[in-house]
C-alpha cells in the first residue's frame, strides 16, 4: 500500500514530504509532552504549589498551541500532497489504460480498472489527511508518551514501550482475522456494482427472455453473495474485537499496577500516581483510534492495490520513430504469430503477407481464422508474439505511440459512439478537421441522410454508446469518423454488416471514392465489400491459403470460388407471396 501511495505522489513533492514528516513528528512530540506535563501539573495542584502549577500550566498551554499549529500545517501540506496525488494518479491511470495490452483485460481486471478510475477522486485527496496522519500519529504518540515517562519513572517507560508492540500486534491480529472476510465483502460489493450496471443495460434482452426479475438474474446472484460476505465479515469481527479488548485491559492493568507499586515503594507520590492514571488513558487512546481506522485502512489498501494493479499492467511497446508516412505505405507480415495468452492455440501461426501500397485487400475466411486479429495487429491494438510487421520497411514496434496511432484509421464491426452529437462523433476522427472535410466524410458515408431527417441535424445527440440510433446508423457515423482521420492506412472490419444491400453498395462506393491515398485492408463476408478489392486473401487457422485477384481465385475453383458460389446462392433468395 505504502509503495503504491509513494509512487502516486508528484515527482517534485520531496520537499513537501519532508516538511509533512517534520510537522507530523513535531505534532506527536507536542501532544506527548502535553500528556506527560499533566503529571507535574496535577502534583503541584494537589501539593498546593501554586507557583509551580502556573508554570506547568503555561508549559501545557505552549505544548497544546504548538500541537495545534503543527496539526494545521500538517493538514495544509497533506491536502497539497493529496491534490497532487489525485492529479498524478488520474494522469497515470489514464495514460496506463490507454497503453495496456488488450489481452490483460478480463472480468476481474476490468473491474479493477473501473474501481481504480473511480478511486481517483475526493477519497484519494483525503487519504493523507484523514488516514495517513491519524494512523501515523496513533502509532508514534504511544511511543513518544512511553519515552516521556522515563522522566517520571523509568519502570513506567519500560512497561509502556513493551506495551506498544503488544497492542499493535493485537490490532494486527484483529485485522488478520477479518481481513479475508473484508476482502471478500469488497469483492462482492464491486461485483454487485458491475452486475447492477449490466442488469440495467440488458433490460431489453432480459425482458424478452422473461428473466427480468432480479432474483432470476446475475444481479440476484451478486446480491446473495454480497449478503453472505457481509454476514461473514460481521461474524469474523467478533473474535478480533475480543482479542484487542483483552490486550487493552492487560495494558491498562499493567500500567496502573506499575504506578501503584511505585507509589507503595515511595518512588512516586500519591498525586503523581493519580495523574499517571490520566496519562495511561491517553496512552491507550491512539490504539482505539487505530482500531476504528482499520476498516478505512483495509478499504484504502484495496483501492491502492487496484490502482497498483493497473499501473503494473503490461503495456504495448513504444519505439522512437516519429515519422508518419505521407503516402499509402507497404505493409508486410514476416512470420507473424499471435495468441491470446494461450500459446498452444495460436490465432496466427507464422503468417507471411504483403499488402502493396495504395491497394485495397479483402481478407476472408471462416470464423476464428484470424481475420480481425490481422487488423488489430496492423492497428497496434495487439503486438505479435513472434515475427515482424513492417510499415514501409520499418518495424511497427519501432514507432512511438502517437505515430503508431496516427498510422491507422479503423472501422470496427461493432462501432461505439461517444456521448455527444453526431458531428462531435465524426470530428473525433480528427478534431482539427475543417467543416468542409467533415461534411464530405458525412456525405460519403451517407450520414447526411440521417441528419436530414432529424430536427437537430448533425447536432442531434447519439445517446450513450449511440443507443438512440440503429446499428446501421451507428456504422455510417463510424465510417465517416474513419474517413475524416488523415491516416495512410484504413482498416475495415465488416463495416457493412449492419447495412442492407442498397446501403452496403453505397458505402462501398463511398469508401472507394475517398480521395486520400491509403492502403486499405477490408475484412468482409459479403460480395459488395470484395468486388472492389484489388486483391483477396483467404486465411484459415492463422495462415494464408489462397491469394490473388477475385477473377484469378474464381478461375482456380478453390476455397474462394466455393465462398463465391455460396454468395450467389444466397443472392438468389426471394420472398414470394403464399396464396
Amino acid at each position: 500500500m505504502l509503495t503504491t501511495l509513494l509512487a502516486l505522489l508528484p515527482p517534485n513533492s520531496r520537499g513537501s514530504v519532508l516538511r509533512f514528516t517534520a510537522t507530523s513528528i513535531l505534532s506527536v512530540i507536542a501532544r506527548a509532552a502535553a500528556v506527560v506535563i499533566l503529571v507535574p501539573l496535577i502534583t503541584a495542584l494537589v501539593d498546593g504549589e501554586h507557583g509551580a502549577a502556573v508554570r506547568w500550566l503555561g508549559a501545557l498551554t505552549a505544548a497544546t498551541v504548538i500541537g495545534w499549529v503543527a496539526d494545521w500545517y500538517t493538514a495544509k501540506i497533506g491536502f497539497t500532497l493529496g491534490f497532487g496525488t489525485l492529479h498524478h494518479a488520474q494522469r497515470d491511470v489514464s495514460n496506463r489504460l490507454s497503453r495496456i495490452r488488450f489481452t490483460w483485460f478480463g472480468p476481474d481486471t476490468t473491474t479493477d480498472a473501473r474501481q481504480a478510475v473511480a478511486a481517483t477522486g475526493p477519497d484519494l485527496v483525503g487519504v493523507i489527511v484523514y488516514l495517513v496522519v491519524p494512523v501515523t500519529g496513533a502509532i508514534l504518540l504511544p511511543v513518544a508518551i512511553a519515552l516521556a515517562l522515563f522522566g517520571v519513572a523509568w519502570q513506567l517507560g519500560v512497561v509502556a514501550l513493551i506495551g506498544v508492540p503488544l497492542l499493535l500486534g493485537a490490532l494486527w491480529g484483529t485485522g488478520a482475522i477479518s481481513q479475508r472476510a473484508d476482502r471478500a465483502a469488497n469483492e462482492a460489493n464491486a461485483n454487485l456494482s458491475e452486475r447492477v450496471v449490466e442488469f440495467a443495460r440488458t433490460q431489453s434482452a432480459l425482458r424478452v427472455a422473461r428473466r427480468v426479475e432480479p432474483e432470476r438474474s446475475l444481479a440476484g446472484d451478486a446480491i446473495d453473495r454480497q449478503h453472505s460476505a457481509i454476514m461473514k465479515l460481521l461474524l469474523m469481527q467478533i473474535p478480533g474485537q475480543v482479542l484487542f479488548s483483552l490486550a487493552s485491559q492487560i495494558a491498562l492493568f499493567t500500567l496502573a499496577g506499575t504506578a501503584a507499586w511505585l507509589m507503595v515503594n515511595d518512588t512516586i507520590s500519591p498525586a503523581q500516581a493519580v495523574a499517571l492514571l490520566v496519562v495511561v488513558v491517553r496512552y491507550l487512546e491512539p490504539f482505539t483510534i487505530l482500531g476504528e481506522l482499520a476498516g478505512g485502512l483495509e478499504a484504502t489498501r484495496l483501492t491502492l492495490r487496484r490502482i497498483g494493479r493497473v499501473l503494473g499492467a503490461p503495456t504495448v511497446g513504444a519505439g522512437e520513430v516519429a515519422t508518419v508516412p505521407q503516402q499509402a505505405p507497404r505493409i508486410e507480415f514476416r512470420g507473424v504469430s499471435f495468441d491470446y495468452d494461450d500459446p498452444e492455440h495460436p490465432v496466427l501461426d507464422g503468417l507471411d503477407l504483403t499488402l502493396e501500397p495504395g491497394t485495397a485487400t479483402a481478407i476472408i475466411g471462416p470464423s476464428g481464422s484470424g481475420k480481425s486479429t490481422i487488423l488489430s495487429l496492423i492497428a497496434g491494438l495487439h503486438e505479435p508474439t513472434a515475427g515482424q510487421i513492417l510499415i514501409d520497411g520499418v518495424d511497427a514496434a519501432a514507432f512511438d505511440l502517437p505515430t503508431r496511432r496516427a498510422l491507422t484509421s479503423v472501422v470496427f464491426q461493432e462501432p461505439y459512439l461517444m456521448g455527444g452529437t453526431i458531428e462531435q462523433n465524426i470530428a473525433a476522427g480528427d478534431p482539427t478537421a475543417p467543416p468542409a472535410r467533415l461534411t464530405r466524410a458525412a456525405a460519403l458515408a451517407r450520414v447526411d441522410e440521417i441528419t436530414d431527417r432529424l430536427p437537430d441535424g448533425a447536432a442531434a445527440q447519439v445517446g450513450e454508446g449511440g443507443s438512440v440510433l440503429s446499428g446501421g446508423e451507428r456504422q455510417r457515423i463510424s465510417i465517416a469518423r474513419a474517413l475524416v482521420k488523415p491516416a495512410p492506412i484504413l482498416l475495415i472490419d465488416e463495416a457493412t454488416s449492419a447495412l442492407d444491400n442498397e446501403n452496403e453498395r453505397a458505402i462501398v462506393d463511398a469508401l472507394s471514392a475517398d480521395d486520400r491515398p491509403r492502403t486499405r485492408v477490408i475484412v468482409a463476408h459479403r460480395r459488395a465489400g470484395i468486388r472492389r478489392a484489388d486483391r483477396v486473401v483467404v486465411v484459415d487457422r492463422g495462415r494464408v491459403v489462397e491469394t490473388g485477384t477475385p477473377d484469378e481465385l474464381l478461375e482456380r475453383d478453390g476455397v474462394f470460388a466455393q465462398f463465391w458460389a455460396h454468395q450467389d446462392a444466397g443472392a438468389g433468395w426471394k420472398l414470394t407471396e403464399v396464396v
Side-chain angles (χ1 to χ4, degrees), residues 4-41:
T4 303
L5 184 59
L6 291 175
L8 294 176
L9 290 173
N12 58 347
S13 62
R14 181 178 179 182
S16 297
V17 171
L18 291 176
R19 291 193 299 274
F20 175 81
T21 303
T23 54
S24 297
I25 294 174
L26 178 60
S27 172
V28 169
I29 293 173
R31 283 186 286 159
V35 171
V36 178
I37 285 172
L38 290 173
V39 176
L41 174 59

mmCIF file of all heavy atoms in Angstrom, residues 4-41:
data_model
loop_
_atom_site.group_PDB
_atom_site.id
_atom_site.type_symbol
_atom_site.label_atom_id
_atom_site.label_comp_id
_atom_site.label_asym_id
_atom_site.label_seq_id
_atom_site.Cartn_x
_atom_site.Cartn_y
_atom_site.Cartn_z
ATOM 1 N N THR A 4 2.632 1.894 -3.375
ATOM 2 C CA THR A 4 1.757 2.479 -4.390
ATOM 3 C C THR A 4 1.472 3.938 -4.102
ATOM 4 O O THR A 4 1.484 4.786 -5.003
ATOM 5 C CB THR A 4 0.434 1.690 -4.468
ATOM 6 O OG1 THR A 4 0.706 0.318 -4.736
ATOM 7 C CG2 THR A 4 -0.465 2.244 -5.570
ATOM 8 N N LEU A 5 1.212 4.261 -2.829
ATOM 9 C CA LEU A 5 0.924 5.649 -2.458
ATOM 10 C C LEU A 5 2.113 6.551 -2.756
ATOM 11 O O LEU A 5 1.959 7.653 -3.294
ATOM 12 C CB LEU A 5 0.553 5.732 -0.981
ATOM 13 C CG LEU A 5 0.130 7.119 -0.452
ATOM 14 C CD1 LEU A 5 -1.077 7.629 -1.213
ATOM 15 C CD2 LEU A 5 -0.167 7.053 1.040
ATOM 16 N N LEU A 6 3.323 6.093 -2.434
ATOM 17 C CA LEU A 6 4.517 6.888 -2.725
ATOM 18 C C LEU A 6 4.709 7.047 -4.231
ATOM 19 O O LEU A 6 5.158 8.098 -4.695
ATOM 20 C CB LEU A 6 5.747 6.226 -2.105
ATOM 21 C CG LEU A 6 5.819 6.247 -0.569
ATOM 22 C CD1 LEU A 6 7.022 5.454 -0.078
ATOM 23 C CD2 LEU A 6 5.885 7.685 -0.045
ATOM 24 N N ALA A 7 4.366 5.996 -4.997
ATOM 25 C CA ALA A 7 4.514 6.076 -6.449
ATOM 26 C C ALA A 7 3.546 7.075 -7.060
ATOM 27 O O ALA A 7 3.812 7.632 -8.140
ATOM 28 C CB ALA A 7 4.298 4.690 -7.075
ATOM 29 N N LEU A 8 2.406 7.315 -6.381
ATOM 30 C CA LEU A 8 1.402 8.241 -6.904
ATOM 31 C C LEU A 8 1.704 9.691 -6.562
ATOM 32 O O LEU A 8 1.071 10.595 -7.106
ATOM 33 C CB LEU A 8 0.015 7.870 -6.361
ATOM 34 C CG LEU A 8 -0.562 6.534 -6.828
ATOM 35 C CD1 LEU A 8 -1.892 6.263 -6.141
ATOM 36 C CD2 LEU A 8 -0.741 6.519 -8.333
ATOM 37 N N LEU A 9 2.650 9.923 -5.651
ATOM 38 C CA LEU A 9 2.992 11.294 -5.289
ATOM 39 C C LEU A 9 3.628 12.005 -6.479
ATOM 40 O O LEU A 9 4.327 11.389 -7.296
ATOM 41 C CB LEU A 9 3.962 11.308 -4.111
ATOM 42 C CG LEU A 9 3.391 10.879 -2.757
ATOM 43 C CD1 LEU A 9 4.511 10.777 -1.727
ATOM 44 C CD2 LEU A 9 2.324 11.861 -2.274
ATOM 45 N N PRO A 10 3.405 13.324 -6.617
ATOM 46 C CA PRO A 10 4.018 14.072 -7.720
ATOM 47 C C PRO A 10 5.540 13.962 -7.672
ATOM 48 O O PRO A 10 6.130 13.862 -6.585
ATOM 49 C CB PRO A 10 3.564 15.518 -7.469
ATOM 50 C CG PRO A 10 2.338 15.388 -6.629
ATOM 51 C CD PRO A 10 2.535 14.161 -5.784
ATOM 52 N N PRO A 11 6.210 13.985 -8.814
ATOM 53 C CA PRO A 11 7.670 13.813 -8.847
ATOM 54 C C PRO A 11 8.423 14.888 -8.060
ATOM 55 O O PRO A 11 9.501 14.636 -7.543
ATOM 56 C CB PRO A 11 7.998 13.899 -10.349
ATOM 57 C CG PRO A 11 6.719 13.594 -11.045
ATOM 58 C CD PRO A 11 5.630 14.087 -10.151
ATOM 59 N N ASN A 12 7.875 16.099 -7.995
ATOM 60 C CA ASN A 12 8.578 17.207 -7.331
ATOM 61 C C ASN A 12 8.097 17.425 -5.899
ATOM 62 O O ASN A 12 8.158 18.545 -5.387
ATOM 63 C CB ASN A 12 8.382 18.491 -8.139
ATOM 64 C CG ASN A 12 6.907 18.838 -8.313
ATOM 65 O OD1 ASN A 12 6.042 18.012 -8.041
ATOM 66 N ND2 ASN A 12 6.627 20.053 -8.753
ATOM 67 N N SER A 13 7.602 16.373 -5.257
ATOM 68 C CA SER A 13 6.992 16.538 -3.935
ATOM 69 C C SER A 13 7.920 16.168 -2.783
ATOM 70 O O SER A 13 7.467 16.086 -1.645
ATOM 71 C CB SER A 13 5.726 15.675 -3.848
ATOM 72 O OG SER A 13 6.051 14.302 -3.989
ATOM 73 N N ARG A 14 9.213 15.966 -3.059
ATOM 74 C CA ARG A 14 10.113 15.523 -1.994
ATOM 75 C C ARG A 14 10.160 16.540 -0.852
ATOM 76 O O ARG A 14 10.112 16.170 0.328
ATOM 77 C CB ARG A 14 11.515 15.299 -2.554
ATOM 78 C CG ARG A 14 12.503 14.798 -1.494
ATOM 79 C CD ARG A 14 13.872 14.548 -2.088
ATOM 80 N NE ARG A 14 14.802 14.092 -1.069
ATOM 81 C CZ ARG A 14 16.083 13.835 -1.285
ATOM 82 N NH1 ARG A 14 16.583 13.974 -2.508
ATOM 83 N NH2 ARG A 14 16.859 13.435 -0.296
ATOM 84 N N GLY A 15 10.261 17.834 -1.201
ATOM 85 C CA GLY A 15 10.305 18.863 -0.163
ATOM 86 C C GLY A 15 9.052 18.871 0.678
ATOM 87 O O GLY A 15 9.110 18.985 1.914
ATOM 88 N N SER A 16 7.900 18.723 0.026
ATOM 89 C CA SER A 16 6.627 18.707 0.757
ATOM 90 C C SER A 16 6.541 17.497 1.677
ATOM 91 O O SER A 16 6.033 17.583 2.798
ATOM 92 C CB SER A 16 5.454 18.708 -0.232
ATOM 93 O OG SER A 16 5.433 19.890 -0.999
ATOM 94 N N VAL A 17 7.041 16.358 1.200
ATOM 95 C CA VAL A 17 7.015 15.144 2.027
ATOM 96 C C VAL A 17 7.891 15.325 3.261
ATOM 97 O O VAL A 17 7.511 14.919 4.378
ATOM 98 C CB VAL A 17 7.474 13.928 1.203
ATOM 99 C CG1 VAL A 17 7.659 12.703 2.094
ATOM 100 C CG2 VAL A 17 6.463 13.613 0.097
ATOM 101 N N LEU A 18 9.059 15.939 3.079
ATOM 102 C CA LEU A 18 9.952 16.168 4.228
ATOM 103 C C LEU A 18 9.313 17.121 5.237
ATOM 104 O O LEU A 18 9.373 16.886 6.457
ATOM 105 C CB LEU A 18 11.289 16.725 3.738
ATOM 106 C CG LEU A 18 12.173 15.744 2.943
ATOM 107 C CD1 LEU A 18 13.420 16.451 2.426
ATOM 108 C CD2 LEU A 18 12.555 14.552 3.806
ATOM 109 N N ARG A 19 8.677 18.191 4.746
ATOM 110 C CA ARG A 19 8.003 19.128 5.653
ATOM 111 C C ARG A 19 6.824 18.453 6.343
ATOM 112 O O ARG A 19 6.576 18.665 7.538
ATOM 113 C CB ARG A 19 7.524 20.368 4.892
ATOM 114 C CG ARG A 19 8.662 21.267 4.405
ATOM 115 C CD ARG A 19 8.135 22.617 3.941
ATOM 116 N NE ARG A 19 7.207 22.484 2.827
ATOM 117 C CZ ARG A 19 7.596 22.430 1.542
ATOM 118 N NH1 ARG A 19 8.890 22.490 1.228
ATOM 119 N NH2 ARG A 19 6.705 22.326 0.577
ATOM 120 N N PHE A 20 6.098 17.637 5.584
ATOM 121 C CA PHE A 20 4.970 16.909 6.161
ATOM 122 C C PHE A 20 5.437 15.971 7.272
ATOM 123 O O PHE A 20 4.841 15.904 8.355
ATOM 124 C CB PHE A 20 4.274 16.112 5.056
ATOM 125 C CG PHE A 20 3.166 15.222 5.530
ATOM 126 C CD1 PHE A 20 1.907 15.730 5.782
ATOM 127 C CD2 PHE A 20 3.390 13.861 5.737
ATOM 128 C CE1 PHE A 20 0.882 14.901 6.217
ATOM 129 C CE2 PHE A 20 2.373 13.037 6.180
ATOM 130 C CZ PHE A 20 1.116 13.567 6.417
ATOM 131 N N THR A 21 6.546 15.274 7.027
ATOM 132 C CA THR A 21 7.089 14.358 8.029
ATOM 133 C C THR A 21 7.542 15.118 9.268
ATOM 134 O O THR A 21 7.269 14.706 10.409
ATOM 135 C CB THR A 21 8.266 13.565 7.442
ATOM 136 O OG1 THR A 21 7.827 12.876 6.263
ATOM 137 C CG2 THR A 21 8.804 12.558 8.440
ATOM 138 N N ALA A 22 8.238 16.246 9.059
ATOM 139 C CA ALA A 22 8.754 17.031 10.186
ATOM 140 C C ALA A 22 7.626 17.578 11.048
ATOM 141 O O ALA A 22 7.670 17.496 12.288
ATOM 142 C CB ALA A 22 9.632 18.167 9.667
ATOM 143 N N THR A 23 6.598 18.143 10.430
ATOM 144 C CA THR A 23 5.486 18.712 11.213
ATOM 145 C C THR A 23 4.673 17.616 11.889
ATOM 146 O O THR A 23 4.134 17.821 12.983
ATOM 147 C CB THR A 23 4.577 19.572 10.313
ATOM 148 O OG1 THR A 23 4.153 18.803 9.182
ATOM 149 C CG2 THR A 23 5.309 20.816 9.824
ATOM 150 N N SER A 24 4.583 16.438 11.252
ATOM 151 C CA SER A 24 3.870 15.319 11.892
ATOM 152 C C SER A 24 4.599 14.889 13.160
ATOM 153 O O SER A 24 3.971 14.654 14.208
ATOM 154 C CB SER A 24 3.757 14.140 10.920
ATOM 155 O OG SER A 24 2.991 14.477 9.788
ATOM 156 N N ILE A 25 5.921 14.790 13.083
ATOM 157 C CA ILE A 25 6.703 14.409 14.264
ATOM 158 C C ILE A 25 6.606 15.478 15.345
ATOM 159 O O ILE A 25 6.465 15.163 16.538
ATOM 160 C CB ILE A 25 8.171 14.163 13.858
ATOM 161 C CG1 ILE A 25 8.259 12.932 12.935
ATOM 162 C CG2 ILE A 25 9.050 13.979 15.093
ATOM 163 C CD1 ILE A 25 9.644 12.699 12.368
ATOM 164 N N LEU A 26 6.673 16.769 14.927
ATOM 165 C CA LEU A 26 6.544 17.856 15.896
ATOM 166 C C LEU A 26 5.186 17.800 16.595
ATOM 167 O O LEU A 26 5.095 18.005 17.822
ATOM 168 C CB LEU A 26 6.706 19.208 15.192
ATOM 169 C CG LEU A 26 6.538 20.461 16.067
ATOM 170 C CD1 LEU A 26 7.569 20.476 17.188
ATOM 171 C CD2 LEU A 26 6.632 21.730 15.221
ATOM 172 N N SER A 27 4.129 17.494 15.844
ATOM 173 C CA SER A 27 2.793 17.397 16.428
ATOM 174 C C SER A 27 2.743 16.274 17.464
ATOM 175 O O SER A 27 2.179 16.436 18.553
ATOM 176 C CB SER A 27 1.759 17.143 15.338
ATOM 177 O OG SER A 27 0.493 16.856 15.880
ATOM 178 N N VAL A 28 3.344 15.132 17.143
ATOM 179 C CA VAL A 28 3.359 13.998 18.071
ATOM 180 C C VAL A 28 4.123 14.355 19.342
ATOM 181 O O VAL A 28 3.676 14.066 20.468
ATOM 182 C CB VAL A 28 3.980 12.756 17.392
ATOM 183 C CG1 VAL A 28 4.247 11.656 18.420
ATOM 184 C CG2 VAL A 28 3.063 12.226 16.304
ATOM 185 N N ILE A 29 5.294 14.995 19.176
ATOM 186 C CA ILE A 29 6.092 15.384 20.353
ATOM 187 C C ILE A 29 5.324 16.355 21.232
ATOM 188 O O ILE A 29 5.309 16.227 22.474
ATOM 189 C CB ILE A 29 7.434 15.995 19.896
ATOM 190 C CG1 ILE A 29 8.300 14.917 19.217
ATOM 191 C CG2 ILE A 29 8.177 16.613 21.077
ATOM 192 C CD1 ILE A 29 9.567 15.465 18.595
ATOM 193 N N ALA A 30 4.677 17.341 20.604
ATOM 194 C CA ALA A 30 3.922 18.338 21.377
ATOM 195 C C ALA A 30 2.768 17.682 22.134
ATOM 196 O O ALA A 30 2.521 17.991 23.309
ATOM 197 C CB ALA A 30 3.399 19.426 20.444
ATOM 198 N N ARG A 31 2.052 16.753 21.481
ATOM 199 C CA ARG A 31 0.933 16.099 22.153
ATOM 200 C C ARG A 31 1.413 15.171 23.272
ATOM 201 O O ARG A 31 0.787 15.070 24.328
ATOM 202 C CB ARG A 31 0.093 15.329 21.140
ATOM 203 C CG ARG A 31 -0.821 16.232 20.314
ATOM 204 C CD ARG A 31 -1.733 15.434 19.426
ATOM 205 N NE ARG A 31 -1.014 14.875 18.290
ATOM 206 C CZ ARG A 31 -1.443 13.839 17.578
ATOM 207 N NH1 ARG A 31 -2.555 13.222 17.933
ATOM 208 N NH2 ARG A 31 -0.747 13.402 16.549
ATOM 209 N N ALA A 32 2.529 14.485 23.048
ATOM 210 C CA ALA A 32 3.088 13.628 24.098
ATOM 211 C C ALA A 32 3.540 14.464 25.292
ATOM 212 O O ALA A 32 3.310 14.101 26.462
ATOM 213 C CB ALA A 32 4.254 12.817 23.543
ATOM 214 N N ALA A 33 4.172 15.600 25.002
ATOM 215 C CA ALA A 33 4.605 16.493 26.075
ATOM 216 C C ALA A 33 3.408 17.002 26.872
ATOM 217 O O ALA A 33 3.435 17.070 28.113
ATOM 218 C CB ALA A 33 5.408 17.657 25.497
ATOM 219 N N ALA A 34 2.332 17.361 26.158
ATOM 220 C CA ALA A 34 1.135 17.857 26.838
ATOM 221 C C ALA A 34 0.544 16.803 27.767
ATOM 222 O O ALA A 34 0.026 17.117 28.853
ATOM 223 C CB ALA A 34 0.104 18.294 25.802
ATOM 224 N N VAL A 35 0.617 15.534 27.344
ATOM 225 C CA VAL A 35 0.082 14.453 28.181
ATOM 226 C C VAL A 35 0.924 14.284 29.446
ATOM 227 O O VAL A 35 0.405 14.230 30.565
ATOM 228 C CB VAL A 35 0.031 13.125 27.383
ATOM 229 C CG1 VAL A 35 -0.317 11.966 28.316
ATOM 230 C CG2 VAL A 35 -1.001 13.211 26.262
ATOM 231 N N VAL A 36 2.237 14.227 29.279
ATOM 232 C CA VAL A 36 3.109 13.959 30.420
ATOM 233 C C VAL A 36 3.194 15.165 31.354
ATOM 234 O O VAL A 36 3.389 15.008 32.576
ATOM 235 C CB VAL A 36 4.509 13.544 29.925
ATOM 236 C CG1 VAL A 36 5.463 13.314 31.100
ATOM 237 C CG2 VAL A 36 4.406 12.261 29.102
ATOM 238 N N ILE A 37 3.028 16.374 30.819
ATOM 239 C CA ILE A 37 3.040 17.583 31.669
ATOM 240 C C ILE A 37 1.911 17.524 32.701
ATOM 241 O O ILE A 37 1.990 18.172 33.768
ATOM 242 C CB ILE A 37 2.955 18.849 30.801
ATOM 243 C CG1 ILE A 37 4.310 19.111 30.116
ATOM 244 C CG2 ILE A 37 2.561 20.074 31.613
ATOM 245 C CD1 ILE A 37 4.274 20.231 29.096
ATOM 246 N N LEU A 38 0.878 16.731 32.414
ATOM 247 C CA LEU A 38 -0.230 16.612 33.369
ATOM 248 C C LEU A 38 0.259 16.061 34.715
ATOM 249 O O LEU A 38 -0.324 16.376 35.768
ATOM 250 C CB LEU A 38 -1.319 15.695 32.805
ATOM 251 C CG LEU A 38 -2.132 16.251 31.625
ATOM 252 C CD1 LEU A 38 -3.040 15.168 31.062
ATOM 253 C CD2 LEU A 38 -2.952 17.461 32.065
ATOM 254 N N VAL A 39 1.325 15.234 34.697
ATOM 255 C CA VAL A 39 1.805 14.632 35.951
ATOM 256 C C VAL A 39 2.326 15.708 36.916
ATOM 257 O O VAL A 39 1.841 15.812 38.059
ATOM 258 C CB VAL A 39 2.873 13.557 35.658
ATOM 259 C CG1 VAL A 39 3.430 13.011 36.974
ATOM 260 C CG2 VAL A 39 2.284 12.425 34.817
ATOM 261 N N PRO A 40 3.306 16.542 36.545
ATOM 262 C CA PRO A 40 3.756 17.575 37.489
ATOM 263 C C PRO A 40 2.690 18.643 37.747
ATOM 264 O O PRO A 40 2.642 19.217 38.840
ATOM 265 C CB PRO A 40 4.995 18.171 36.810
ATOM 266 C CG PRO A 40 4.826 17.854 35.362
ATOM 267 C CD PRO A 40 4.128 16.536 35.324
ATOM 268 N N LEU A 41 1.822 18.895 36.764
ATOM 269 C CA LEU A 41 0.775 19.905 36.962
ATOM 270 C C LEU A 41 -0.194 19.458 38.050
ATOM 271 O O LEU A 41 -0.496 20.216 38.985
ATOM 272 C CB LEU A 41 0.031 20.160 35.652
ATOM 273 C CG LEU A 41 -1.181 21.096 35.725
ATOM 274 C CD1 LEU A 41 -0.781 22.479 36.242
ATOM 275 C CD2 LEU A 41 -1.866 21.201 34.370
#
